């Protein structure tokens, strides 16, 4: 029994060819039971299969002396194993207070950023994390209950990580097997009290729902993890087939639009039709962060499966679908032509008044002197990865989202208004700024997207300024100033 965990991990590594001989493997180790077991298992497997192991630990500085003791514990354990230790402390609380964001998301982003830096600096090829089958089961249940599950809603066994690979050798092992391994080998570990708090969704599923499932079937976690891996294999195949079909039934147009043959699309099996829609949206919006949702996908499917007649539909962010003569034509109409989007271009180097008394300005930093600070003025810097110029401004629309710093998923603009205590009477006319690909990148005076910074030394080549407009210029629409 004590060697079962090692055998399962070794088989998963060997079957997938994750770790070639002479590789260097960095193990993410928090000091908790799962990561302690993983470090010991990887050290033992490496000794027999020819790879070396190091450990990385991040103190998020959220639990004072307690989390500092976690770092000392991992360092001492590594010394006893003869394993290189890499550790750092990151003031997550300060980052959240300064830049906002969800604490757990910030912890995750900062932790993996540090892991990536260590892999590059120290020459590691593979990052190993201790996610196991019970984690997969919790993730599947949470995503299914929220209605956000994709074709494979759990956790992938591996993925690219920088120039290397992230692997999860315990993914088909159960939490109870990890605990049995620790007990059999007399291995101590640390406990993070936050894992017991019902404040977090995962903890509620872990302590309230999962035990009921395991009572019915003690092997349910492994069964669900195996199911999720199989679904991922199926999805990879279907996604590949969908891409092949897409190349045959779609045609880029000289004006930047896209044509889809509706007769050919209607003959495609429905399972592949559903997978063609995200490909279409990626192409149309030039980004994988495009408008999505069941209603939008259903609308597009209904148009593409009609082979007779004609019609037109306005799509989000200034796009339009026109169907005639057996073809569906998708075009980006642009901010000036799209009445639904109501966008106005923000010309570089010119002040524009937008919303209720907000003035906006952006330019290449080389073209303008650095502005002086003043009451009511915000000065930020950004690069093209944050907001591809040209910029535009419009009023909010239902479903608008913005990707904020240190957050894994975009946040609803409506929620940002609530958090920012913006009066309800002003929200409909408050400006939002969009980039060339349609993404919202700023809610001026409230929150700014990922990649925007107030640090001129760390910022990109563009400057973005927000300030209160003179009273005489206030109004509900964007207005370019001529002086």
């Amino acid at each position: 029994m004590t060697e079962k965990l090692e055998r399962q991990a070794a088989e998963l590594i060997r079957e997938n060819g994750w770790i070639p001989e002479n590789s260097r493997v960095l193990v993410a180790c928090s000091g908790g039971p799962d990561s302690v077991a993983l470090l010991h298992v990887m050290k033992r497997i490496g000794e027999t299969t020819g790879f070396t192991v190091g450990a990385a630990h991040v103190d998020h500085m959220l639990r004072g002396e307690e989390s500092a003791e976690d770092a000392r514990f991992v360092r001492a354990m590594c010394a006893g194993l003869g394993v290189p230790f890499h550790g750092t402390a990151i003031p997550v609380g300060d980052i959240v207070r300064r830049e906002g964001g969800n604490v757990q998301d910030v912890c995750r982003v900062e932790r993996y950023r540090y892991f990536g830096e260590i892999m590059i600096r120290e020459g590691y090829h593979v990052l190993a994390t201790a996610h196991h089958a019970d984690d997969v089961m919790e993730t599947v249940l949470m995503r299914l209950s929220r209605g956000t599950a994709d074709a494979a809603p759990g956790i992938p066994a591996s993925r690219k990580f920088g120039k290397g690979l992230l692997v999860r050798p315990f993914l088909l092992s159960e939490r109870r097997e990890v605990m049995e391994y620790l007990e059999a080998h007399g291995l101590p570990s640390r406990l993070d009290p936050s894992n017991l708090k019902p404040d977090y969704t995962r903890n509620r599923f872990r302590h309230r729902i999962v035990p009921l499932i395991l009572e019915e079937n003690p092997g349910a976690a492994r069964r669900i993890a195996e199911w999720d891996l199989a679904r991922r294999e199926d999805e990879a195949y279907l996604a590949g087939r969908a891409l092949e079909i897409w190349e045959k039934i779609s045609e880029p147009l000289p004006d930047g639009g896209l044509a889809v043959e509706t007769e050919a699309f209607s003959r495609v099996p429905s399972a592949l039709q559903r997978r063609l829609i995200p490909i279409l949206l990626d192409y149309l919006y030039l980004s994988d962060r495009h408008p999505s949702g069941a209603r939008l996908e259903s609308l597009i499917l209904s148009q593409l499966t009609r082979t007779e007649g004609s019609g037109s539909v306005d799509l989000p962010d200034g796009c339009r679908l026109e169907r005639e003569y057996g073809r569906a034509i998708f075009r980006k109409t642009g901010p000036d032509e799209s009445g639904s989007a109501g966008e106005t271009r923000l010309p570089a180097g010119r002040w524009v008044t937008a919303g209720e008394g907000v003035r906006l300005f952006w330019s290449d930093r080389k073209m303008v002197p650095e502005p002086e600070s003043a009451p009511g003025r915000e000065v930020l810097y950004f690069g093209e990865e944050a907001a591809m110029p040209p910029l535009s401004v419009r009023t909010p629309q239902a479903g608008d989202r913005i990707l904020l710093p240190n957050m894994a998923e975009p946040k609803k603009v409506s929620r940002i208004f609530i958090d920012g205590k913006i009066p309800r009477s002003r929200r409909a006319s408050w400006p939002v700024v969009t980039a060339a690909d349609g993404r919202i990148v700023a809610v001026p005076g409230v929150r700014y997207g990922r990649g925007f910074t107030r640090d001129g030394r760390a910022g990109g080549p563009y400057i973005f300024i927000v300030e209160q407009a003179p009273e005489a210029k206030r109004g509900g629409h964007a207005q370019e100033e001529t002086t």
Side-chain angles (χ1 to χ4, degrees):
M1 178 65 72
T2 62
E3 308 307 319
K4 182 179 180 181
L5 193 67
E6 292 179 22
R7 184 176 68 254
Q8 290 174 337
E11 287 177 356
L12 203 56
I13 291 170
R14 184 180 64 254
E15 290 171 0
N16 290 280
W18 285 338
I19 309 177
E21 192 174 356
N22 298 321
S23 294
R24 301 195 69 208
V25 179
L26 184 66
V27 176
C29 188
S30 67
D34 304 336
S35 62
V36 166
L38 179 65
L39 182 60
H40 281 77
V41 165
M42 295 300 287
K43 176 72 162 54
R44 290 165 68 100
I45 295 175
E47 290 172 345
T48 60
T49 58
F51 62 80
T52 57
V53 170
H57 175 86
V58 175
D59 175 4
H60 301 115
M61 302 177 70
L62 294 172
R63 294 182 289 118
E65 179 59 25
E66 190 175 42
S67 62
E69 180 58 32
D70 291 347
R72 290 191 287 269
F73 169 81
V74 176
R75 181 187 291 273
M77 179 176 60
C78 289
L81 289 171
V83 167
F85 171 82
H86 310 280
T88 191
I90 299 175
V92 168
D94 292 344
I95 294 173
V96 172
R97 283 188 288 272
R98 184 174 66 250
E99 302 181 8
N102 177 279
V103 172
Q104 290 181 307
D105 285 338
V106 175
C107 285
R108 186 182 306 109
V109 168
E110 293 297 321
R111 184 166 64 245
Y112 280 93
R113 179 187 58 77
Y114 176 70
F115 295 158
E117 291 176 356
I118 292 299
M119 290 183 70
I120 293 172
R121 190 175 73 210
E122 303 295 334
Y124 288 97
H125 310 97
V126 177
L127 174 67
T129 66
H131 297 90
H132 46 60
D134 293 66
D135 294 319
V136 177
M137 177 165 61
E138 293 162 5
T139 303
V140 168
L141 293 173
M142 287 190 299
R143 291 181 176 171
L144 288 174
S145 67
R146 288 197 302 257
T148 58
D150 54 16
I155 302 173
S158 66
R159 64 176 175 85
K160 290 182 179 180
F161 186 72
K163 294 183 179 180
L165 185 69
L166 186 155
V167 303
R168 299 182 169 104
F170 284 177
L171 208 64
L172 295 181
S173 302
E174 300 168 357
R175 179 177 283 117
R176 62 181 177 83
E177 293 171 330
V178 171
M179 302 309 294
E180 289 168 357
Y181 182 90
L182 293 176
E183 183 178 358
H185 288 269
L187 300 175
S189 61
R190 300 282 294 176
L191 177 64
D192 182 347
S194 67
N195 291 334
L196 301 176
K197 294 180 179 179
D199 306 24
Y200 303 114
T201 303
R202 183 175 293 275
N203 287 350
R204 294 195 294 274
F205 273 79
R206 177 174 297 171
H207 299 299
R208 299 175 183 175
I209 297 173
V210 167
L212 298 176
I213 297 174
L214 295 180
E215 184 178 336
E216 292 294 325
N217 177 9
R222 182 180 175 91
R223 299 286 85 78
I224 291 174
E226 291 172 335
W227 167 83
D228 189 62
L229 289 181
R231 289 292 296 268
R232 289 179 183 279
E233 293 177 358
D234 294 348
E235 180 60 25
Y237 171 77
L238 290 171
R241 287 285 297 124
L243 194 57
E244 292 175 6
I245 292 171
W246 172 256
E247 298 293 338
K248 296 177 181 178
I249 68 172
S250 67
E251 176 190 358
L253 300 178
D255 63 0
L258 175 74
V260 177
E261 301 295 331
T262 56
E263 181 71 37
F265 185 93
S266 65
R267 293 196 300 267
V268 174
S270 60
L272 292 175
Q273 286 181 354
R274 292 194 299 272
R275 287 164 173 82
L276 287 170
I277 302 302
I279 299 175
L280 185 156
L281 293 173
D282 284 349
Y283 185 97
L284 186 61
Y285 291 96
L286 304 177
S287 169
D288 61 356
R289 291 196 176 276
H290 48 62
S292 61
R295 292 182 62 182
L296 176 60
E297 293 179 8
S298 178
L299 173 65
I300 295 175
L301 275 173
S302 68
Q303 292 294 319
L304 291 178
T305 51
R306 295 181 185 179
T307 58
E308 298 180 357
S310 61
S312 63
V313 176
D314 288 326
L315 302 176
D317 294 347
C319 290
R320 188 174 179 82
L321 185 165
E322 297 178 349
R323 181 175 49 80
E324 59 182 9
Y325 306 116
R327 304 181 97 201
I329 308 297
F330 295 83
R331 287 191 174 90
K332 188 87 170 177
T333 59
D336 294 331
E337 300 175 32
S338 174
S340 61
E343 288 186 340
T344 299
R345 183 65 56 84
L346 288 177
R350 303 288 294 273
W351 283 98
V352 170
T353 301
E356 294 190 22
V358 177
R359 295 207 313 162
L360 307 176
F361 176 94
W362 77 277
S363 175
D364 189 308
R365 292 173 66 174
K366 297 179 181 179
M367 306 301 293
V368 296
E370 292 295 314
E372 298 179 358
S373 60
R377 172 183 287 174
E378 293 183 283
V379 179
L380 300 102
Y381 306 90
F382 68 95
E384 292 186 352
E385 73 285 352
M388 176 72 74
L391 304 183
S392 299
V393 63
R394 62 171 172 80
T395 53
Q397 300 172 13
D400 277 349
R401 293 173 181 268
I402 179 173
L403 184 63
L404 298 173
N406 301 311
M407 293 192 71
E409 299 293 336
K411 186 172 183 176
K412 288 183 178 180
V413 170
S414 59
R415 184 72 242 180
I416 289 174
F417 285 145
I418 294 172
D419 294 344
K421 297 181 172 55
I422 304 302
R424 185 181 296 274
S425 60
R426 300 185 64 189
R427 295 173 192 171
S429 60
W430 201 278
V432 296
V433 176
T434 62
D437 57 8
R439 289 179 300 125
I440 296 176
V441 296
V443 183
V446 187
R447 295 297 299 273
Y448 299 91
R450 179 181 292 179
F452 280 72
T453 178
R454 291 176 171 81
D455 186 349
R457 295 169 299 178
Y462 299 102
I463 189 170
F464 184 79
I465 306 174
V466 180
E467 65 178 33
Q468 293 296 313
E471 290 289 335
K473 292 184 180 292
R474 293 192 175 191
H477 301 282
Q479 175 183 347
E480 182 178 344
E481 299 181 19
T482 57
T483 60

